[in-house]
Amino acid sequence: MKVLLLGSGGREHAMAWKLAQSPLCQKLYIAPGNPGTALEGENISLEILDFDGIGRFCLEREIDMVIVGPEAPLVEGIVDYFAQKPELTSIPVIGPSREAARLEGSKSFAKLFMKRHSIPTAAYKEYQIGQLDQAMSDLDRHALPLVLKADGLAAGKGVLICHQRDEAKAELRAMLEGKFGEASSTVVVEEFLQGREMSVFALSDGLNWVLLPNAKDYKRIGEGDSGPNTGGMGAICPVPFASEGLMERIKEQIVGPTVEGLQKDGLRYQGFIYFGLMIVDQEPWVIEYNCRLGDPETQAVLPMLRSDLLGLLQRVPGQQLNDVVMEYEQGFAATVILSSAGYPAEYQTGYLISGIEQARGALVFHAGTKTDENGQLRTSGGRVLAVTGKNNKLFSALEQAFTALEHIDFEGLSFRRDIGHDLM
């Protein structure tokens, strides 16, 4: 198969790494990719929202499948674009339709979907700028802490947990007045759930579904889960507390009803579904949906997937996931993100990266990296690299990751040293 993978982050490097291992993969293109994906396939200079350019490329190179890494092309309707072009309809695009991608693109849409299909989630109410006075009045009576969520996409930073009423009012006002741009023109105010977070990943063909290994990510920038939310500072796969009984409840109460709900609502969904969960007294509640794999969870999940990823994806267009037997690796994977100083706020880029070749015993996935005119590797983003250790014991997997990353250096390098400590 000739495959085009869209994206340029750490998730896409991990996906490219896994796809390239498949005997089905004849040629792998990544658009636009990064220096890490270039090690797995051929990077192509295409913008992920240039649907016309992507379509032409697929025809010119006789692409057999398009796999979408990040959410933006899905929310903007790349699946619909291919479906509506007669010359492109035979090329499957892994991902949901634009309407189905609203599960991630709109928190309000997702909440209404869960309510309609009796999927457990926190109580909520939504507000727009014209309802600011009513919102302030309601906050006076709302239990604390509470959660504020920008309705639209905000690069993983649009969720705030407020412990003080004055803080909640100030943040709600700021969000409605444009703190996250159009993404927070509507804000969901949600009940706070106290429990343990975990992430579950399904691959659906629109009728059937299978589960990938589960994970837990660490969104806060600071150790001890302090500071602002980021796109994710690390991940552990699988989650030690995810017992067989808990996973059965997640399947029966959340994953199954979600796939069935999409069918009932007539929403085309052939791709990955990310379930962000809070486990409260051993009962699962949905915090959020994503319409793609998570980042940085993918960098821990895919090393623990023994099954051929491309082989699984090949079954999706024909709705043939019903007889798949999933295979997982034994043990644990632990991913630690190396970030730029200042992230998730302002940060500088362009710093020389050294030592990746010496980081043996672990996988190193590129995220915010670029190659300069002299062929030297430099930083180009807030999250720069993901270092993943893998071992039969969680402690040993973490030790592998931390030992390897000590060889890597760039100005302002920062990482959390407590990833996974809450699980041991």
Side-chain angles (χ1 to χ4, degrees):
M1 294 177 67
K2 296 179 182 178
V3 178
L4 173 62
L5 171 64
L6 299 182
S8 61
R11 165 185 48 225
E12 287 74 42
H13 185 184
M15 293 175 75
W17 169 80
K18 184 66 175 175
L19 291 166
Q21 296 172 21
S22 173
L24 298 170
C25 188
Q26 175 188 352
K27 179 70 176 181
L28 175 62
Y29 299 99
I30 309 96
N34 63 39
T37 62
L39 302 173
E40 317 297 342
E42 181 180 346
N43 286 350
I44 300 297
S45 182
L46 279 174
E47 295 296 326
I48 59 174
L49 296 181
D50 178 11
F51 296 170
D52 289 339
I54 292 169
R56 287 194 299 270
F57 178 83
C58 288
L59 293 174
E60 291 168 2
R61 301 299 177 94
E62 299 180 328
I63 296 300
D64 297 301
M65 176 177 288
V66 178
I67 303 169
V68 184
E71 64 275 13
L74 298 169
V75 172
E76 293 299 321
I78 190 170
V79 171
D80 309 73
Y81 178 88
F82 270 65
Q84 292 162 9
K85 296 281 185 179
E87 66 273 25
L88 297 175
T89 54
S90 63
I91 303 173
V93 180
I94 301 300
S97 67
R98 181 172 187 166
E99 184 68 11
R102 293 181 68 197
L103 280 182
E104 177 170 5
S106 169
K107 299 293 190 297
S108 174
F109 179 90
K111 282 291 192 179
L112 288 170
F113 175 87
M114 286 184 274
K115 183 178 181 181
R116 187 162 60 249
H117 297 292
S118 302
I119 296 166
T121 189
Y124 77 103
K125 192 170 181 179
E126 62 183 73
Y127 301 93
Q128 297 176 335
I129 187 64
Q131 301 169 298
L132 185 57
D133 289 343
Q134 181 62 54
M136 294 300 169
S137 177
D138 290 348
L139 287 187
D140 283 329
R141 300 185 297 274
H142 202 292
L144 295 173
L146 58 82
V147 184
L148 304 178
K149 294 183 176 180
D151 179 60
L153 300 178
K157 305 177 186 72
V159 178
L160 304 174
I161 299 173
C162 300
H163 294 267
Q164 304 295 328
R165 211 168 299 279
D166 289 345
E167 173 198 15
K169 288 184 175 183
E171 290 290 358
L172 179 58
R173 179 184 294 276
M175 291 172 76
L176 290 173
E177 291 178 348
K179 179 175 182 176
F180 298 109
E182 183 64 25
S184 60
S185 60
T186 297
V187 175
V188 171
V189 179
E190 191 175 86
E191 169 194 16
F192 177 79
L193 296 176
Q194 183 68 51
R196 307 182 81 175
E197 288 190 56
M198 66 177 290
S199 305
V200 168
F201 305 92
L203 175 63
S204 173
D205 61 18
L207 180 64
N208 313 288
W209 52 270
V210 293
L211 289 186
L212 278 64
N214 58 62
K216 173 180 168 60
D217 76 329
Y218 295 79
K219 290 187 172 66
R220 301 275 188 162
I221 188 65
E223 295 182 5
D225 285 332
S226 60
N229 275 341
T230 71
M233 294 302 296
I236 300 297
C237 173
V239 181
F241 62 78
S243 65
E244 185 175 333
L246 174 59
M247 291 306 301
E248 284 303 314
R249 288 192 289 278
I250 290 170
K251 294 175 186 177
E252 294 172 4
Q253 299 172 25
I254 293 172
V255 181
T258 295
V259 175
E260 292 166 11
L262 290 164
Q263 295 174 44
K264 290 176 182 176
D265 290 353
L267 298 174
R268 181 206 178 281
Y269 204 118
Q270 292 191 322
F272 297 106
I273 312 175
Y274 166 110
F275 302 85
L277 306 179
M278 184 69 75
I279 311 303
V280 182
D281 296 329
Q282 288 302 302
E283 291 297 327
W285 298 72
V286 178
I287 302 173
E288 65 173 344
Y289 288 112
N290 288 166
C291 57
R292 36 71 188 183
L293 291 176
D295 187 344
E297 295 101 322
T298 304
Q299 293 92 300
V301 167
L302 291 186
M304 297 304 294
L305 178 67
R306 184 177 297 170
S307 298
D308 182 334
L309 179 61
L310 188 53
L312 292 171
L313 296 176
Q314 188 183 42
R315 290 171 168 266
V316 169
Q319 297 188 314
Q320 298 173 324
L321 286 176
N322 55 304
D323 59 352
V324 168
V325 178
M326 296 294 289
E327 296 183 69
Y328 310 119
E329 299 287 351
Q330 296 295 312
F332 296 89
T335 297
V336 180
I337 296 295
L338 308 187
S339 65
S340 298
Y343 176 78
E346 293 185 9
Y347 54 86
Q348 301 296 314
T349 62
Y351 297 119
L352 187 67
I353 303 171
S354 64
I356 290 180
E357 297 80 6
Q358 285 72 48
R360 300 183 181 90
L363 297 164
V364 180
F365 296 113
H366 292 237
T369 68
K370 65 179 180 181
T371 304
D372 66 17
E373 62 275 9
N374 298 316
Q376 294 183 305
L377 191 65
R378 294 186 179 274
T379 66
S380 66
R383 292 186 297 170
V384 179
L385 297 165
V387 181
T388 298
K390 181 181 169 186
N391 200 278
N392 286 334
K393 295 183 178 180
L394 176 55
F395 174 82
S396 299
L398 284 163
E399 190 174 44
Q400 281 184 356
F402 284 116
T403 298
L405 69 81
E406 291 294 346
H407 294 279
I408 301 172
D409 189 42
F410 56 84
E411 187 171 335
L413 184 154
S414 179
F415 61 92
R416 280 183 58 170
R417 298 178 181 274
D418 65 341
I419 300 299
H421 287 196
D422 59 316
L423 301 177
M424 292 190 293

